[in-house]
Amino acid sequence: MKVYTKTGDKGTTALFGGTRVPKHHIRIESYGTIDELNSHIGLIRDQYINQFYKNTLMHIQDRLFTVGAILATDPEKATLKSGKARLNIPKISNEDIERLEKEMDLMEASLPPMTHFVLPGGHQTVSFCHIARTVCRRAERLASHLNDLEPFQPETLMYINRLSDYLFVLARKLSHDLQAEEIKWIPQKES
């Protein structure tokens, strides 16, 4: 099977189910940004970090493929004529969301309380987390817009929201583990 199909040469692509839409369609922007996020998470996973975090990130990457599949499914073709779902994989579950929450609670237990916003940076690995977090927020904005137009499984949007929080906490935890300076943002006073 060849990677190139030439079917998108005129600026359209197929959704799961076969519907063709412009490559700039909000649905394509949504799952394309999830794909971008997944690549950034792979970059974090490739860093010299604790194996536990690597395993968690690999699980998140798996879940992001599911998120992408959900977002790539044409709602009008989501159900086959037999009545079965076209997308025959486990959807995002409350357990997936709770897993992120538990991971955040564990990390935060060893961190000092946050009293200020922090400037992204301090260590390259931490910066990769912050980039992933901001891409996740963009993915959430796009998915939220898509959900307004064509609603999809609510847990999917919840998962994306919780994931951006997880990536922020992971950035703080890695700052702590790597003994990187966490610089607080303290607004200047007007003269």
Side-chain angles (χ1 to χ4, degrees):
M1 183 173 118
K2 292 186 178 186
V3 171
Y4 60 91
T5 62
K6 301 182 184 181
T7 58
D9 288 353
K10 293 185 180 175
T12 65
T13 193
L15 299 176
F16 190 51
T19 305
R20 294 205 68 81
V21 296
K23 289 187 177 186
H24 60 270
H25 189 280
I26 184 65
R27 186 170 292 284
I28 308 305
E29 288 284 349
S30 294
Y31 74 73
T33 306
I34 291 295
D35 187 36
E36 180 184 350
L37 170 61
N38 209 337
S39 297
H40 283 291
I41 289 175
L43 184 60
I44 300 166
R45 193 170 50 82
D46 288 342
Q47 303 305 300
Y48 185 73
I49 59 174
N50 183 296
Q51 188 62 46
F52 178 80
Y53 301 138
K54 288 180 183 239
N55 294 343
T56 300
L57 291 170
M58 196 172 309
H59 182 265
I60 289 168
Q61 287 184 292
D62 172 82
R63 300 288 62 216
L64 286 177
F65 266 95
T66 297
V67 169
I70 290 166
L71 297 177
T73 301
D74 180 352
E76 293 182 13
K77 296 187 178 179
T79 305
L80 300 171
K81 290 178 183 176
S82 66
K84 290 187 176 183
R86 179 176 298 279
L87 190 59
N88 189 22
I89 59 173
K91 306 300 184 289
I92 298 299
S93 67
N94 284 322
E95 289 77 24
D96 292 322
I97 296 163
E98 289 167 4
R99 180 175 180 172
L100 291 177
E101 291 171 350
K102 287 176 186 171
E103 297 298 331
M104 284 187 279
D105 291 344
L106 280 172
M107 289 187 288
E108 285 186 320
S110 65
L111 295 173
M114 219 178 110
T115 58
H116 294 80
F117 287 109
V118 295
L119 300 180
H123 189 281
Q124 184 174 349
T125 303
V126 173
S127 294
F128 290 150
C129 283
H130 283 292
I131 291 168
R133 172 186 58 80
T134 60
V135 171
C136 189
R137 284 291 186 208
R138 178 164 34 96
E140 182 183 16
R141 291 188 300 271
L142 290 165
S144 175
H145 181 194
L146 174 62
N147 190 57
D148 282 350
L149 300 172
E150 298 175 339
F152 51 84
Q153 182 206 23
E155 290 82 2
T156 300
L157 197 54
M158 292 168 62
Y159 186 81
I160 300 168
N161 179 45
R162 208 69 83 253
L163 179 56
S164 61
D165 295 334
Y166 169 85
L167 291 166
F168 177 75
V169 176
L170 180 62
R172 289 199 68 221
K173 181 68 168 106
L174 290 175
S175 285
H176 180 266
D177 293 354
L178 297 165
Q179 299 177 349
E181 183 180 9
E182 194 173 70
I183 300 172
K184 295 176 182 175
W185 177 64
I186 301 171
Q188 296 177 5
K189 305 286 184 200
E190 283 195 58
S191 317

